Amino acid sequence: MPFARIALHKGKSPEYLRALADNVYRALHEAYDVPANDRFVMIHQLDPWEFHYDRNYLGGPRSDDFVLIAITAGRPRDTPTKQAFYRRLVE
């Protein structure tokens, strides 16, 4: 049962948040072979003073639209599987 936490600034529409959660689940389902309906996603919308990140770390730049996704996957995945997940996620 992978668990995804998504953090972003407040202000996005319910449709945007749903699409974000849907895409994270689809990427997990396709790349990590997560079963159908094994969907656990929590979205944290934060005020700017509650969400601190370096706008230029590892190449940046990061805007106010930066989204942080943390996955607790349960069992380890090999590097090719993780890479497939990341590629699918950004599609």
Side-chain angles (χ1 to χ4, degrees):
M1 175 183 86
F3 177 66
R5 288 183 181 204
I6 301 170
L8 68 162
H9 284 139
K10 285 182 180 175
K12 297 297 184 186
S13 70
E15 296 80 18
Y16 177 91
L17 299 174
R18 179 58 145 184
L20 186 57
D22 288 348
N23 192 53
V24 169
Y25 168 73
R26 273 194 299 274
L28 286 167
H29 178 68
E30 293 172 14
Y32 277 17
D33 200 27
V34 170
N37 302 317
D38 187 356
R39 177 187 173 123
F40 297 88
V41 179
M42 183 179 295
I43 298 174
H44 303 276
Q45 293 190 81
L46 304 164
D47 286 312
W49 59 88
E50 298 174 304
F51 188 28
H52 301 267
Y53 52 89
D54 190 297
R55 290 180 179 267
N56 297 300
Y57 181 70
L58 289 179
R62 290 173 186 81
S63 70
D64 288 339
D65 288 326
F66 175 65
V67 175
L68 180 66
I69 301 169
I71 307 288
T72 303
R75 65 179 166 84
R77 292 340 196 261
D78 60 23
T79 298
T81 302
K82 290 177 193 176
Q83 290 171 336
F85 167 73
Y86 297 136
R87 276 192 302 274
R88 174 57 187 88
L89 185 61
V90 297
E91 288 175 358

